[in-house]
Amino acid sequence: MITIKNELQLSKMRSAGHLLYDVLCTLREKMAPGMTTYDLDKIAHELITKNRATPSFLGYYDYPATLCVSIDDEVVHGIPSKHVRMEEGSIVSVDCGLILDSWQADSAFTKGMGKISEECEKLIRVTEECFWQGIRQAVDGNRIGDIGAAVQQHAESHGYGVVRDLTGHGIGQEMHEDPSVPNFGTPGRGVRLRRGMTIAVEPMIAMGRYPVHQLSDGWTIVTNDHKPCAHYEHTIAVTSGLPEVLTYPGFSWENAL
Ligand code: MF3
Ligand code: CO
């Protein structure tokens, strides 16, 4: 079921989104080569609970952590561990969700550890561009396929693979609501977007080919060709004009990409 949010509900999602933005800014600042993904998870858990919010991933289908931290060929759902260090030269995707006052926010970014290759720098940059190209299409009256087509067009124009097996999603009082928001598609196809819809748009873009598989830990998704993958996600609200990015308080479309 697709839920349309009213102004009061949107303001609660905005508060959740703004708190998540602060958490992710702190993580981005503190993550450094040599640190374990467990230590990063601990920082996130403390920040979220200190602010009277709840980590939404923890316990979701028995997921054991606050963050998903996915390194290099890991696409998403990497489980934080005391035995995994974020090494110099790797690219690290950090995904986090929280619930504040019963409303959800979900956001992710990818950061290079220390000096990374130029091709990895470019992968991260193009993945963010894919997100912005995609959400420019998230306007009242357009369709879900318009978002996916824009993401896919931009990624494939750089020779990258668009991961198909995981998608963005509606979000509200549940982390995963309808509709599903694929990062590929056909313009003019799919569910019609309406003002008050809130969705998480999250391109997962692979330097190589898009097929992926799950590791035996039951969570971690990796690329079949083991080439690196980047992830970028925000929770957005469809408005009467360009979307509002609920997990990016300072953002303004005037200085967008
Ligand atoms: N953040 C993921 C998403 O964007 C969900 C994480 S799965 C979980 O949909 F189990 F870790 F919660
Ligand atoms: Co999500």
Side-chain angles (χ1 to χ4, degrees), residues 56-68 76-78 95-97 106-108 166-169 175-176 200 202 204 219 231 233:
S56 55
F57 298 178
L58 188 61
Y60 185 80
Y61 290 97
D62 290 330
Y63 186 74
T66 295
L67 300 178
C68 296
V76 286
H77 303 169
D95 190 351
C96 187
D106 188 3
S107 183
L166 300 122
T167 67
H169 47 92
M175 173 161 58
H176 293 141
E202 47 179 319
M204 289 148 269
W219 284 101
H231 183 203
E233 174 178 27

